[in-house]
Short mmCIF file of all heavy atoms in Angstrom, two decimals:
data_model
loop_
_atom_site.label_atom_id
_atom_site.label_comp_id
_atom_site.label_asym_id
_atom_site.label_seq_id
_atom_site.Cartn_x
_atom_site.Cartn_y
_atom_site.Cartn_z
N THR A 1 145.19 -8.85 82.34
CA THR A 1 146.04 -9.70 81.52
C THR A 1 146.28 -11.01 82.25
O THR A 1 146.68 -11.02 83.41
CB THR A 1 147.38 -9.02 81.22
OG1 THR A 1 147.13 -7.78 80.56
CG2 THR A 1 148.26 -9.89 80.35
N VAL A 2 146.06 -12.11 81.55
CA VAL A 2 146.31 -13.44 82.09
C VAL A 2 147.55 -13.98 81.40
O VAL A 2 147.68 -13.92 80.18
CB VAL A 2 145.11 -14.38 81.82
CG1 VAL A 2 145.41 -15.78 82.34
CG2 VAL A 2 143.84 -13.82 82.44
N LEU A 3 148.46 -14.52 82.19
CA LEU A 3 149.66 -15.16 81.65
C LEU A 3 149.56 -16.66 81.87
O LEU A 3 149.41 -17.13 83.00
CB LEU A 3 150.91 -14.62 82.34
CG LEU A 3 152.23 -15.30 81.97
CD1 LEU A 3 152.53 -15.16 80.47
CD2 LEU A 3 153.37 -14.73 82.80
N LEU A 4 149.63 -17.42 80.77
CA LEU A 4 149.63 -18.88 80.82
C LEU A 4 151.05 -19.37 80.56
O LEU A 4 151.67 -18.95 79.58
CB LEU A 4 148.72 -19.46 79.74
CG LEU A 4 147.26 -19.04 79.74
CD1 LEU A 4 146.55 -19.64 78.53
CD2 LEU A 4 146.59 -19.48 81.02
N VAL A 5 151.53 -20.25 81.41
CA VAL A 5 152.89 -20.79 81.25
C VAL A 5 152.80 -22.32 81.28
O VAL A 5 152.44 -22.92 82.29
CB VAL A 5 153.84 -20.29 82.36
CG1 VAL A 5 155.24 -20.83 82.13
CG2 VAL A 5 153.84 -18.77 82.43
N ASP A 6 153.14 -22.92 80.14
CA ASP A 6 153.11 -24.38 80.01
C ASP A 6 154.01 -24.75 78.84
O ASP A 6 154.06 -24.01 77.86
CB ASP A 6 151.67 -24.85 79.76
CG ASP A 6 151.48 -26.34 80.02
OD1 ASP A 6 152.22 -27.15 79.40
OD2 ASP A 6 150.59 -26.69 80.80
N ASP A 7 154.70 -25.86 78.93
CA ASP A 7 155.58 -26.26 77.83
C ASP A 7 154.85 -27.04 76.74
O ASP A 7 155.45 -27.44 75.75
CB ASP A 7 156.78 -27.05 78.35
CG ASP A 7 156.38 -28.34 79.02
OD1 ASP A 7 155.32 -28.39 79.66
OD2 ASP A 7 157.15 -29.32 78.92
N GLU A 8 153.54 -27.24 76.89
CA GLU A 8 152.75 -27.96 75.90
C GLU A 8 151.92 -26.97 75.08
O GLU A 8 150.96 -26.39 75.58
CB GLU A 8 151.82 -28.96 76.58
CG GLU A 8 152.56 -30.04 77.34
CD GLU A 8 151.61 -30.99 78.03
OE1 GLU A 8 150.72 -31.54 77.34
OE2 GLU A 8 151.75 -31.17 79.24
N PRO A 9 152.27 -26.78 73.78
CA PRO A 9 151.54 -25.82 72.95
C PRO A 9 150.04 -26.08 72.86
O PRO A 9 149.25 -25.13 72.83
CB PRO A 9 152.20 -25.96 71.57
CG PRO A 9 153.56 -26.51 71.86
CD PRO A 9 153.40 -27.38 73.08
N LYS A 10 149.62 -27.33 72.86
CA LYS A 10 148.18 -27.64 72.78
C LYS A 10 147.45 -27.15 74.03
O LYS A 10 146.31 -26.67 73.94
CB LYS A 10 147.96 -29.14 72.60
CG LYS A 10 148.34 -29.64 71.22
CD LYS A 10 148.08 -31.11 71.09
CE LYS A 10 148.52 -31.61 69.72
NZ LYS A 10 148.28 -33.04 69.56
N ILE A 11 148.08 -27.29 75.18
CA ILE A 11 147.48 -26.81 76.42
C ILE A 11 147.36 -25.29 76.39
O ILE A 11 146.32 -24.73 76.73
CB ILE A 11 148.31 -27.25 77.65
CG1 ILE A 11 148.33 -28.78 77.77
CG2 ILE A 11 147.82 -26.58 78.92
CD1 ILE A 11 147.04 -29.40 78.23
N LEU A 12 148.43 -24.62 75.97
CA LEU A 12 148.40 -23.16 75.88
C LEU A 12 147.29 -22.69 74.96
O LEU A 12 146.54 -21.76 75.29
CB LEU A 12 149.75 -22.61 75.39
CG LEU A 12 150.92 -22.73 76.36
CD1 LEU A 12 152.20 -22.28 75.68
CD2 LEU A 12 150.66 -21.95 77.63
N LYS A 13 147.16 -23.34 73.82
CA LYS A 13 146.14 -22.94 72.85
C LYS A 13 144.73 -23.17 73.39
O LYS A 13 143.87 -22.29 73.30
CB LYS A 13 146.33 -23.69 71.53
CG LYS A 13 145.36 -23.27 70.47
CD LYS A 13 145.63 -23.97 69.15
CE LYS A 13 144.63 -23.50 68.09
NZ LYS A 13 144.85 -24.14 66.81
N SER A 14 144.48 -24.34 73.95
CA SER A 14 143.12 -24.65 74.41
C SER A 14 142.71 -23.77 75.59
O SER A 14 141.57 -23.29 75.63
CB SER A 14 142.98 -26.13 74.75
OG SER A 14 143.79 -26.49 75.83
N ILE A 15 143.61 -23.55 76.53
CA ILE A 15 143.24 -22.72 77.69
C ILE A 15 143.09 -21.26 77.28
O ILE A 15 142.18 -20.58 77.75
CB ILE A 15 144.25 -22.89 78.83
CG1 ILE A 15 144.19 -24.32 79.37
CG2 ILE A 15 143.97 -21.89 79.96
CD1 ILE A 15 145.21 -24.64 80.40
N SER A 16 143.95 -20.77 76.41
CA SER A 16 143.81 -19.38 75.97
C SER A 16 142.50 -19.19 75.21
O SER A 16 141.82 -18.17 75.38
CB SER A 16 145.02 -18.92 75.17
OG SER A 16 145.14 -19.63 73.98
N MET A 17 142.11 -20.16 74.40
CA MET A 17 140.82 -20.08 73.69
C MET A 17 139.65 -20.10 74.68
O MET A 17 138.69 -19.33 74.53
CB MET A 17 140.70 -21.22 72.68
CG MET A 17 141.60 -21.05 71.48
SD MET A 17 141.63 -22.47 70.35
CE MET A 17 139.90 -22.71 70.00
N LEU A 18 139.75 -20.94 75.69
CA LEU A 18 138.71 -21.03 76.71
C LEU A 18 138.59 -19.70 77.47
O LEU A 18 137.48 -19.20 77.69
CB LEU A 18 139.03 -22.18 77.67
CG LEU A 18 138.06 -22.40 78.82
CD1 LEU A 18 136.69 -22.84 78.29
CD2 LEU A 18 138.61 -23.44 79.77
N LEU A 19 139.71 -19.13 77.84
CA LEU A 19 139.68 -17.85 78.55
C LEU A 19 139.11 -16.73 77.69
O LEU A 19 138.27 -15.94 78.15
CB LEU A 19 141.09 -17.48 79.03
CG LEU A 19 141.63 -18.30 80.20
CD1 LEU A 19 143.10 -18.01 80.42
CD2 LEU A 19 140.83 -18.04 81.47
N ARG A 20 139.55 -16.66 76.43
CA ARG A 20 139.04 -15.63 75.53
C ARG A 20 137.53 -15.78 75.31
O ARG A 20 136.80 -14.80 75.25
CB ARG A 20 139.80 -15.66 74.21
CG ARG A 20 141.20 -15.09 74.35
CD ARG A 20 141.92 -15.01 73.00
NE ARG A 20 143.22 -14.40 73.18
CZ ARG A 20 144.37 -15.07 73.22
NH1 ARG A 20 144.38 -16.39 73.06
NH2 ARG A 20 145.52 -14.44 73.40
N ALA A 21 137.06 -17.01 75.21
CA ALA A 21 135.63 -17.26 75.03
C ALA A 21 134.82 -16.85 76.25
O ALA A 21 133.62 -16.64 76.16
CB ALA A 21 135.39 -18.74 74.72
N ASN A 22 135.51 -16.70 77.39
CA ASN A 22 134.84 -16.32 78.63
C ASN A 22 135.17 -14.89 79.06
O ASN A 22 135.09 -14.56 80.23
CB ASN A 22 135.18 -17.32 79.73
CG ASN A 22 134.42 -18.61 79.54
OD1 ASN A 22 133.25 -18.69 79.85
ND2 ASN A 22 135.07 -19.61 78.97
N GLY A 23 135.59 -14.06 78.10
CA GLY A 23 135.74 -12.64 78.36
C GLY A 23 137.12 -12.15 78.72
O GLY A 23 137.29 -10.96 78.97
N PHE A 24 138.10 -13.01 78.75
CA PHE A 24 139.48 -12.58 79.02
C PHE A 24 140.17 -12.32 77.68
O PHE A 24 140.67 -13.24 77.05
CB PHE A 24 140.23 -13.64 79.83
CG PHE A 24 139.71 -13.80 81.22
CD1 PHE A 24 138.68 -14.70 81.48
CD2 PHE A 24 140.22 -13.06 82.26
CE1 PHE A 24 138.17 -14.85 82.75
CE2 PHE A 24 139.72 -13.21 83.56
CZ PHE A 24 138.69 -14.10 83.80
N ASP A 25 140.16 -11.06 77.26
CA ASP A 25 140.67 -10.72 75.93
C ASP A 25 142.19 -10.68 75.86
O ASP A 25 142.76 -10.90 74.80
CB ASP A 25 140.12 -9.36 75.49
CG ASP A 25 138.61 -9.40 75.34
OD1 ASP A 25 138.08 -10.46 74.95
OD2 ASP A 25 137.97 -8.38 75.61
N ASP A 26 142.83 -10.37 76.95
CA ASP A 26 144.29 -10.21 76.95
C ASP A 26 144.94 -11.42 77.61
O ASP A 26 145.11 -11.46 78.83
CB ASP A 26 144.67 -8.92 77.66
CG ASP A 26 146.10 -8.50 77.38
OD1 ASP A 26 146.81 -9.21 76.63
OD2 ASP A 26 146.51 -7.46 77.91
N VAL A 27 145.27 -12.42 76.80
CA VAL A 27 145.90 -13.64 77.29
C VAL A 27 147.26 -13.78 76.64
O VAL A 27 147.38 -13.81 75.42
CB VAL A 27 145.03 -14.89 76.97
CG1 VAL A 27 145.70 -16.15 77.46
CG2 VAL A 27 143.63 -14.74 77.56
N LEU A 28 148.29 -13.85 77.46
CA LEU A 28 149.65 -14.07 76.98
C LEU A 28 150.05 -15.51 77.28
O LEU A 28 149.63 -16.06 78.30
CB LEU A 28 150.64 -13.14 77.68
CG LEU A 28 150.40 -11.64 77.53
CD1 LEU A 28 151.42 -10.87 78.37
CD2 LEU A 28 150.49 -11.23 76.08
N THR A 29 150.85 -16.10 76.41
CA THR A 29 151.32 -17.46 76.64
C THR A 29 152.84 -17.52 76.53
O THR A 29 153.43 -16.82 75.71
CB THR A 29 150.71 -18.45 75.63
OG1 THR A 29 151.09 -18.08 74.31
CG2 THR A 29 149.20 -18.48 75.73
N LEU A 30 153.42 -18.32 77.39
CA LEU A 30 154.85 -18.60 77.34
C LEU A 30 155.05 -20.10 77.47
O LEU A 30 154.41 -20.74 78.29
CB LEU A 30 155.60 -17.91 78.48
CG LEU A 30 155.79 -16.40 78.39
CD1 LEU A 30 156.46 -15.87 79.66
CD2 LEU A 30 156.61 -16.02 77.18
N ASP A 31 155.98 -20.64 76.67
CA ASP A 31 156.26 -22.08 76.76
C ASP A 31 157.63 -22.37 77.37
O ASP A 31 158.07 -23.50 77.39
CB ASP A 31 156.13 -22.76 75.40
CG ASP A 31 157.09 -22.21 74.36
OD1 ASP A 31 157.90 -21.33 74.68
OD2 ASP A 31 157.03 -22.68 73.22
N GLN A 32 158.29 -21.32 77.86
CA GLN A 32 159.60 -21.49 78.51
C GLN A 32 159.60 -20.78 79.85
O GLN A 32 159.37 -19.57 79.92
CB GLN A 32 160.71 -20.94 77.62
CG GLN A 32 160.84 -21.70 76.32
CD GLN A 32 161.95 -21.15 75.45
OE1 GLN A 32 162.68 -20.25 75.84
NE2 GLN A 32 162.09 -21.72 74.27
N SER A 33 159.87 -21.52 80.89
CA SER A 33 159.80 -20.96 82.24
C SER A 33 160.83 -19.86 82.49
O SER A 33 160.58 -18.95 83.27
CB SER A 33 159.96 -22.08 83.29
OG SER A 33 161.19 -22.75 83.12
N ASP A 34 161.97 -19.92 81.80
CA ASP A 34 162.99 -18.90 82.04
C ASP A 34 162.62 -17.53 81.45
O ASP A 34 163.26 -16.53 81.73
CB ASP A 34 164.36 -19.35 81.53
CG ASP A 34 164.38 -19.67 80.04
OD1 ASP A 34 163.33 -19.67 79.40
OD2 ASP A 34 165.48 -19.95 79.53
N ALA A 35 161.56 -17.46 80.67
CA ALA A 35 161.11 -16.19 80.10
C ALA A 35 160.08 -15.49 81.00
O ALA A 35 159.74 -14.33 80.75
CB ALA A 35 160.52 -16.41 78.72
N VAL A 36 159.62 -16.15 82.04
CA VAL A 36 158.53 -15.62 82.86
C VAL A 36 158.96 -14.41 83.68
O VAL A 36 158.31 -13.36 83.63
CB VAL A 36 157.95 -16.72 83.77
CG1 VAL A 36 156.96 -16.14 84.77
CG2 VAL A 36 157.30 -17.80 82.93
N LEU A 37 160.01 -14.53 84.47
CA LEU A 37 160.41 -13.42 85.35
C LEU A 37 160.74 -12.15 84.57
O LEU A 37 160.28 -11.07 84.98
CB LEU A 37 161.55 -13.84 86.27
CG LEU A 37 161.15 -14.82 87.37
CD1 LEU A 37 162.37 -15.33 88.12
CD2 LEU A 37 160.16 -14.18 88.33
N PRO A 38 161.48 -12.22 83.46
CA PRO A 38 161.70 -10.98 82.69
C PRO A 38 160.39 -10.34 82.22
O PRO A 38 160.25 -9.12 82.27
CB PRO A 38 162.56 -11.44 81.51
CG PRO A 38 163.28 -12.65 82.01
CD PRO A 38 162.29 -13.33 82.93
N LEU A 39 159.44 -11.15 81.79
CA LEU A 39 158.15 -10.61 81.36
C LEU A 39 157.42 -9.96 82.53
O LEU A 39 156.88 -8.86 82.39
CB LEU A 39 157.28 -11.70 80.74
CG LEU A 39 155.89 -11.20 80.34
CD1 LEU A 39 155.93 -10.61 78.94
CD2 LEU A 39 154.87 -12.29 80.43
N LEU A 40 157.40 -10.63 83.67
CA LEU A 40 156.70 -10.09 84.84
C LEU A 40 157.31 -8.77 85.31
O LEU A 40 156.61 -7.93 85.86
CB LEU A 40 156.71 -11.10 85.99
CG LEU A 40 155.89 -12.36 85.79
CD1 LEU A 40 156.05 -13.29 86.97
CD2 LEU A 40 154.42 -12.03 85.55
N ARG A 41 158.60 -8.59 85.10
CA ARG A 41 159.26 -7.34 85.49
C ARG A 41 158.92 -6.19 84.55
O ARG A 41 159.05 -5.03 84.90
CB ARG A 41 160.77 -7.55 85.54
CG ARG A 41 161.20 -8.47 86.67
CD ARG A 41 162.70 -8.71 86.67
NE ARG A 41 163.05 -9.69 87.68
CZ ARG A 41 163.78 -10.78 87.45
NH1 ARG A 41 164.25 -11.04 86.23
NH2 ARG A 41 164.05 -11.62 88.42
N GLU A 42 158.48 -6.53 83.33
CA GLU A 42 158.21 -5.52 82.31
C GLU A 42 156.73 -5.21 82.12
O GLU A 42 156.39 -4.12 81.66
CB GLU A 42 158.77 -5.99 80.95
CG GLU A 42 160.28 -6.11 80.93
CD GLU A 42 160.98 -4.78 81.07
OE1 GLU A 42 160.49 -3.79 80.49
OE2 GLU A 42 162.01 -4.72 81.77
N GLN A 43 155.87 -6.16 82.43
CA GLN A 43 154.45 -6.00 82.09
C GLN A 43 153.56 -6.40 83.26
O GLN A 43 153.77 -7.45 83.86
CB GLN A 43 154.14 -6.88 80.89
CG GLN A 43 152.72 -6.75 80.42
CD GLN A 43 152.53 -7.35 79.06
OE1 GLN A 43 153.48 -7.64 78.34
NE2 GLN A 43 151.28 -7.54 78.68
N PRO A 44 152.55 -5.58 83.55
CA PRO A 44 151.62 -5.95 84.62
C PRO A 44 150.75 -7.15 84.21
O PRO A 44 150.23 -7.19 83.10
CB PRO A 44 150.76 -4.70 84.82
CG PRO A 44 151.08 -3.78 83.71
CD PRO A 44 152.27 -4.28 82.98
N ILE A 45 150.64 -8.09 85.10
CA ILE A 45 149.84 -9.29 84.89
C ILE A 45 148.83 -9.38 86.03
O ILE A 45 149.19 -9.20 87.19
CB ILE A 45 150.73 -10.56 84.88
CG1 ILE A 45 151.78 -10.48 83.77
CG2 ILE A 45 149.91 -11.83 84.79
CD1 ILE A 45 151.24 -10.49 82.36
N ALA A 46 147.58 -9.67 85.70
CA ALA A 46 146.54 -9.77 86.72
C ALA A 46 146.55 -11.12 87.42
O ALA A 46 146.34 -11.22 88.63
CB ALA A 46 145.16 -9.51 86.11
N VAL A 47 146.79 -12.18 86.64
CA VAL A 47 146.81 -13.54 87.19
C VAL A 47 147.67 -14.41 86.28
O VAL A 47 147.75 -14.17 85.08
CB VAL A 47 145.38 -14.11 87.34
CG1 VAL A 47 144.70 -14.28 86.01
CG2 VAL A 47 145.38 -15.41 88.13
N MET A 48 148.29 -15.40 86.88
CA MET A 48 149.16 -16.30 86.13
C MET A 48 148.70 -17.74 86.36
O MET A 48 148.38 -18.12 87.48
CB MET A 48 150.60 -16.13 86.61
CG MET A 48 151.59 -16.98 85.89
SD MET A 48 153.24 -16.49 86.45
CE MET A 48 154.11 -17.98 86.16
#
């Protein structure tokens, strides 16, 4: 699972599409930094 964190929706969309096109099927996106730590405590992430 890849977690993308950026406050720009266009960046999140383009990078997640690029990752999925290159075999990373499980891509999560967050646009608010304060939501990151709670997510990381609940779900295993391979790279951020």
Side-chain angles (χ1 to χ4, degrees):
T1 302
V2 178
L3 174 61
L4 303 176
V5 182
D6 197 304
D7 62 326
E8 297 179 54
K10 288 181 182 180
I11 296 288
L12 290 174
K13 183 176 180 180
S14 65
I15 294 175
S16 64
M17 288 173 54
L18 179 66
L19 288 170
R20 286 185 177 102
N22 285 282
F24 292 88
D25 296 327
D26 195 359
V27 179
L28 301 176
T29 61
L30 286 176
D31 61 2
Q32 296 181 4
S33 59
D34 59 353
V36 172
L37 288 172
L39 177 86
L40 292 177
R41 292 178 186 128
E42 295 294 321
Q43 182 166 346
I45 300 295
V47 65
M48 181 173 154

